Amino acid sequence: MAQIKRMECQLEIKSSADKFFDAYKTEAHLMPKMANQVVRDVKLVEGSGWDSEGSVRQWYFVAGGKLINTNM
């Protein structure tokens, strides 16, 4: 059964919103460098590329001092 999870955080980035969204959408592997306070790692689990439709990414977040992983 599928689970719906929600994680919300605020952090300051030194980039335009368009550049940040583009990196999130097509180059998620850069997120640990852009938001290292929250994102520890991102791995491509399924799909032919970071921007391919239907790709599955495994995200590793830090929340409350604990490492949390989730697939998106």
Side-chain angles (χ1 to χ4, degrees), residues 4 14 24-25 33 37 51:
I4 297 174
K14 296 179 181 178
Y24 174 82
K25 181 180 168 189
K33 291 181 181 179
Q37 308 94 321
D51 59 348

Side-chain angles (χ1 to χ4, degrees), residues 43-66:
K43 296 180 181 179
L44 184 63
V45 178
E46 288 181 26
S48 59
W50 289 100
D51 59 348
S52 66
E53 186 173 327
S55 66
V56 177
R57 304 164 189 171
Q58 187 167 22
W59 291 76
Y60 295 87
F61 296 100
V62 174
K66 294 183 179 181

Side-chain angles (χ1 to χ4, degrees), residues 6-66:
R6 179 180 175 167
M7 182 174 172
E8 196 172 306
C9 68
Q10 290 183 2
L11 59 121
E12 186 176 329
I13 57 171
K14 296 179 181 178
S15 173
S16 69
D18 290 336
K19 283 185 179 181
F20 185 81
F21 179 74
D22 186 53
Y24 174 82
K25 181 180 168 189
T26 61
E27 300 181 76
H29 61 282
L30 297 176
M31 284 295 117
K33 291 181 181 179
M34 295 175 72
N36 61 0
Q37 308 94 321
V38 178
V39 181
R40 290 295 178 206
D41 195 13
V42 182
K43 296 180 181 179
L44 184 63
V45 178
E46 288 181 26
S48 59
W50 289 100
D51 59 348
S52 66
E53 186 173 327
S55 66
V56 177
R57 304 164 189 171
Q58 187 167 22
W59 291 76
Y60 295 87
F61 296 100
V62 174
K66 294 183 179 181

